[in-house]
Amino acid sequence: MLLYRARVRKDLARLLVARSDAEVLDLPDSEFDGRSVCSYEVLESFDRPVPFATISRDPFLGAWGPVRLRLQGSSFPVPQDMWARLLDLAGEDGGDVADQALDGLRRFRLEKELQRRLASRTDLWDDARWRGLRLVESEYRFPDRRRADLLFEQYTGWRRRLVVVEVKRGRVDLEAVEQVLGYREALDKGVARQHLRRPQAILVGESLHDEARARIARTSGLHFLSSDHFDALRRSA
């Protein structure tokens, strides 16, 4: 997908890949309530965003229906020839973009494969020193429609706590850290009335960006586990 910033800049600025099917958002406090939304990944922010004025003046793109409507709308299908021209204006190579999209989808599939394995094999968690985890739900949905990859419960003695897990393929960045912390905070709101211990959050990925490592180091109840560790355990089983 190409992201068009319609409000202020009015330009094509980013290349995205969808990471979920679209669904109608049921969140009254959101400006997007009642509209179709999906999860996505930013593959690239263009060094040279394409202003609408450039698009509308282009002899090839100017006669395209969505451009004549000034790109007013939530989404438009883009024919292949239009797609190629838009990428050319952004200074992007179509082959490179296709490779990026395929790589993003490949990593997404690997994440889902690891997520399914971590949901079904508690022995992997035992070997990672997280004993006593029991799956509550995969793709746990919060009231605001956010989805955590995995939600477990863990018993320590007679007390129970929730453990939320987010799985990433590749290096884990600060945005992913803040994402899983947001999940933990949402769970934390219901802890007192359920007499639970404070929830824990786990990020699973290949490695950490420096900012993410620093944030984890200074945050209680937030943990990182290497996906390589789980892969090694699976191969040895």
Side-chain angles (χ1 to χ4, degrees):
M1 299 181 290
L2 290 169
L3 175 67
Y4 178 70
R5 299 186 289 190
R7 290 192 173 179
V8 178
R9 297 182 181 274
K10 301 187 184 305
D11 61 13
L12 287 176
R14 294 182 177 87
L15 176 71
L16 315 176
V17 61
R19 301 198 56 168
S20 73
D21 293 331
E23 60 180 348
V24 176
L25 184 65
D26 181 17
L27 192 60
D29 292 337
S30 171
E31 62 179 304
F32 301 107
D33 179 52
R35 298 172 63 180
S36 294
V37 298
C38 71
S39 299
Y40 64 89
E41 177 185 357
V42 178
L43 293 178
E44 183 170 353
S45 295
F46 296 144
D47 293 332
R48 199 171 76 200
V50 186
F52 178 78
T54 299
I55 297 171
S56 62
R57 287 197 302 263
D58 185 86
F60 183 64
L61 295 170
W64 183 31
V67 174
R68 295 174 66 180
L69 294 173
R70 303 189 65 81
L71 296 179
Q72 296 298 309
S74 58
S75 63
F76 301 98
V78 183
Q80 187 61 43
D81 52 354
M82 301 290 181
W83 179 267
R85 180 57 181 155
L86 289 168
L87 290 180
D88 183 57
L89 290 175
E92 299 292 326
D93 181 271
D96 290 343
V97 165
D99 288 343
Q100 284 181 289
L102 287 174
D103 182 63
L105 290 172
R106 179 188 66 83
R107 286 187 287 108
F108 176 62
R109 293 189 184 106
L110 289 172
E111 286 177 17
K112 291 304 177 185
E113 178 188 344
L114 180 56
Q115 180 182 329
R116 286 191 295 270
R117 196 158 68 242
L118 294 177
S120 61
R121 289 189 53 185
T122 56
D123 59 303
L124 294 177
W125 291 105
D126 291 344
D127 290 334
R129 299 182 181 180
W130 278 86
R131 298 185 181 278
L133 292 185
R134 186 171 68 184
L135 182 67
V136 175
E137 191 173 343
S138 292
E139 300 290 339
Y140 176 80
R141 181 178 292 186
F142 292 93
D144 62 3
R145 313 289 284 188
R146 290 180 298 168
R147 290 191 184 189
D149 286 341
L150 299 166
L151 181 65
F152 292 94
E153 59 182 5
Q154 183 185 42
Y155 283 89
T156 53
W158 60 273
R159 298 189 69 189
R160 181 169 68 98
R161 69 180 175 188
L162 297 173
V163 180
V164 63
V165 177
E166 192 69 16
V167 180
K168 302 292 183 184
R169 274 293 176 182
R171 296 183 72 188
V172 174
D173 59 16
L174 187 59
E175 182 178 353
V177 173
E178 298 301 336
Q179 177 186 357
V180 76
L181 281 176
Y183 296 159
R184 191 188 68 170
E185 290 171 6
L187 292 171
D188 201 23
K189 292 179 180 179
V191 162
R193 63 176 178 268
Q194 297 181 47
H195 306 290
L196 303 178
R197 298 179 64 193
R198 191 176 187 198
Q200 301 286 294
I202 301 175
L203 274 162
V204 177
E206 292 177 9
S207 59
L208 288 168
H209 283 278
D210 290 342
E211 288 183 334
R213 182 180 294 106
R215 181 76 163 100
I216 290 172
R218 65 175 185 266
T219 305
S220 175
L222 176 61
H223 313 270
F224 172 76
L225 294 174
S226 170
S227 55
D228 291 340
H229 173 75
F230 290 110
D231 289 337
L233 289 174
R234 177 179 61 86
R235 288 192 296 268
S236 63

